[in-house]
Amino acid sequence: MKTPQPVRGMQSLLGEEADRMAAVVAAFDKVRRLYGFRRVDVPMLEDTAVFARTMGETTDVVSKEMYSFEDKSGDPVTLRPEFTAGIARAFLSEGWQQHVPLKVATHGAAFRYERPQKGRFRQFHQLDAEIIGAPEPASDVELLCFADQLLKELGIDAAVLKLNTLGDPDTRAAWRDALHAHFTKHRGDLSEESRDRLDRNPLRILDSKAHADWPIVDAAPVIDDFLTSDAGEFFARVTAGLDAAGVNWERAPRLVRGLDYYRHTAFEFMTDQLGAQGTVLAGGRYDGLMESLGGPHTPAVGWAAGIERLSMLIDAPAVEQPLVVIVPLGDRAATAAEGIIAGLRRDGIASDMAYRGNMKKRMSKANASGATYALIIGDDELDRGEAQLKTLASGEQRAVTLGQLAQAIAE
Ligand code: ATP
Ligand code: MG
């Protein structure tokens, strides 16, 4: 019989790779607390409208990448491609509005039907942080500081913060018209995908991955010429805050984000170490999103980071090692060892047992485990209530009383 294969783009991880992901989440949780972000959890499955309405029908995610299906009652549902939309839905449906300004963080699996490659999967994992109900530029600064500190905590120095503003709706509308005029002039040289986007959403052409588009994108008008004074001042306060906090940033005047809901601040932390998948963390301000779900105007700002991409950039986490490996010799010792190892583990001492093969094999397992001690238990010594505690690095060995094992090991 043919054994089942994984679904394309879905990974199963063993050991170090799984440890890397856990290390990223642990660092996130540590920094989350320092910044006072509360933990939230939202469903993996939402009504399809939650994503379609917030992320925008013309975006890649909604038009091509969503795992959408009908459940058994015929209701249209979608596996979350991101967290922001689900958090916004919960904010409106669960009465979280009473907590504004609400600083929340979460992490977990997300799903997008895309072509799998290095750093790009169909099931992947994100960290996510949001500040909801906060119109002040200070929240943008706080979120960016959180992101920057997380990357430092992970030892990732090579990621650069690229920062832009998309302005307020007036700014955006004027810029959109100018972009539309510019790209229309070069229509014939644009990639097919960008030609497709031209009338529906010309901003998205700036985000094109097609090389043919890049010179045309580079020559496109920048937003600065269209910024209203309010939008300009907002951006100035964000950058001043970042400078005061010692967060390095680079202006990226043509940076747009793939989703429709962004206003004002937009940013990406980029690295050149992951090939085409160089964006490790990205986000921005999404002042219009709650309205798209029928909620009241609620300014908010957030980011998401790819856990797989971050875990490729960190040093390998320390391998977990037992403190002691039990080496029983003889049948009675083997049974007694079950009791001894259970006792050690209950005392909080990480322990493992070498019960396979001859004495030599068992000792070499103990040596290879990285443990500090081997506890060698023979039938004769067992009768005296003793065992041999061997310090593996030095080879030094002494008899210890079984009743005082935990103390002997702690010394
Ligand atoms: P990209 O341009 O790489 O497709 P994106 O703009 O679609 O990214 P976002 O929607 O901003 O990505 O998601 C935030 C982060 O989640 C990304 O910066 C990336 O680190 C990660 N991410 C997004 N899609 C995937 C994927 N398919 N596999 C792994 N990580 C992903
Ligand atoms: Mg994408």
Side-chain angles (χ1 to χ4, degrees):
M1 213 205 306
K2 236 179 109 195
T3 54
Q5 295 302 302
V7 173
R8 189 164 140 81
M10 313 244 162
Q11 304 195 92
S12 308
L13 307 177
L14 171 70
E16 186 188 311
E17 278 185 291
D19 287 342
R20 283 173 174 274
M21 303 261 291
V24 170
V25 173
F28 175 64
D29 209 47
K30 179 176 165 185
V31 182
R32 168 188 74 74
R33 285 169 213 236
L34 292 173
Y35 280 77
F37 279 62
R38 296 168 75 180
R39 193 181 273 131
V40 285
D41 215 351
V42 291
M44 217 170 271
L45 205 60
E46 295 276 356
D47 186 330
T48 296
V50 168
F51 306 111
R53 281 164 56 180
T54 56
M55 300 174 83
E57 300 280 358
T58 63
T59 60
D60 282 356
V61 174
V62 174
S63 64
K64 297 190 285 214
E65 299 172 358
M66 294 211 298
Y67 275 87
S68 299
F69 54 97
E70 285 187 359
D71 68 9
K72 286 195 199 312
S73 13
D75 293 332
V77 289
T78 296
L79 282 168
R80 64 182 177 213
E82 59 144 40
F83 282 91
T84 309
I87 291 173
R89 191 274 308 146
F91 179 81
L92 296 173
S93 69
E94 308 302 314
W96 294 356
Q97 281 134 295
Q98 61 181 306
H99 302 295
V100 295
L102 181 63
K103 300 197 289 180
V104 293
T106 191
H107 67 92
F111 301 83
R112 293 184 192 180
Y113 193 82
E114 354 186 25
R115 193 169 66 79
Q117 50 199 296
K118 181 181 174 188
R120 192 178 294 287
F121 310 95
R122 290 184 174 179
Q123 177 177 332
F124 63 104
H125 297 79
Q126 280 188 339
L127 309 172
D128 188 278
E130 315 279 345
I131 305 181
I132 305 174
E136 302 87 356
S139 351
D140 307 49
V141 175
E142 183 175 22
L143 245 132
L144 282 162
C145 289
F146 178 173
D148 184 71
Q149 190 164 339
L150 170 66
L151 295 173
K152 299 227 158 66
E153 177 74 26
L154 288 167
I156 299 171
D157 303 320
V160 180
L161 167 57
K162 309 261 186 186
L163 187 66
N164 196 16
T165 173
L166 304 178
D168 47 25
D170 287 346
T171 307
R172 217 176 131 123
W175 190 36
R176 186 187 189 282
D177 290 346
L179 287 171
H180 185 262
H182 170 77
F183 289 126
T184 303
K185 253 191 341 221
H186 298 278
R187 191 167 201 286
D189 299 320
L190 286 173
S191 67
E192 198 185 316
E193 193 170 22
S194 292
R195 275 203 301 272
D196 208 44
R197 286 167 169 169
L198 184 54
D199 291 322
R200 287 190 294 149
N201 194 348
L203 258 72
R204 301 268 302 109
I205 298 176
L206 297 174
D207 204 24
S208 169
K209 285 175 179 130
H211 289 242
D213 294 338
W214 291 356
I216 308 168
V217 166
D218 281 342
V222 292
I223 193 158
D224 297 52
D225 300 334
F226 306 94
L227 280 183
T228 61
S229 63
D230 281 358
E233 190 184 320
F234 190 97
F235 191 54
R237 289 178 61 183
V238 172
T239 56
L242 292 175
D243 292 340
V247 172
N248 290 325
W249 57 277
E250 270 176 23
R251 181 69 201 280
R254 292 183 188 87
L255 183 143
V256 290
R257 304 272 312 118
L259 310 175
D260 282 350
Y261 51 58
Y262 290 106
R263 299 277 185 283
H264 289 293
T265 321
F267 54 86
E268 297 189 343
F269 284 81
M270 306 272 294
T271 154
D272 53 12
Q273 290 170 22
L274 295 174
Q277 277 61 251
T279 307
V280 290
L281 187 152
R285 177 164 278 283
Y286 51 91
D287 289 1
L289 183 140
M290 293 295 173
E291 285 111 309
S292 68
L293 289 177
H297 176 69
T298 312
V301 52
W303 54 251
I307 300 183
E308 285 82 357
R309 292 188 195 175
L310 291 172
S311 66
M312 285 188 260
L313 296 172
I314 62 172
D315 293 337
V319 178
E320 290 168 6
Q321 294 166 332
L323 184 59
V324 50
V325 173
I326 317 272
V327 182
L329 302 168
D331 288 344
R332 279 192 299 125
T335 306
E338 301 288 6
I340 292 166
I341 195 168
L344 287 173
R345 286 169 171 166
R346 285 184 195 118
D347 283 339
I349 296 171
S351 317
D352 209 346
M353 180 129 66
Y355 48 73
R356 180 173 288 177
N358 58 20
M359 165 82 171
K360 193 168 160 227
K361 219 168 182 164
R362 293 178 191 204
M363 283 310 296
S364 68
K365 172 176 170 163
N367 277 305
S369 72
T372 309
Y373 302 109
L375 185 73
I376 303 157
I377 309 172
D379 286 351
D380 295 347
E381 280 174 303
L382 197 57
D383 293 336
R384 296 198 297 273
E386 285 183 351
Q388 292 290 322
L389 187 66
K390 180 172 184 177
T391 306
L392 288 164
S394 64
E396 176 198 333
Q397 190 168 317
R398 66 192 164 102
V400 289
T401 310
L402 286 177
Q404 277 148 23
L405 250 184
Q407 294 93 303
I409 286 168
E411 270 163 23

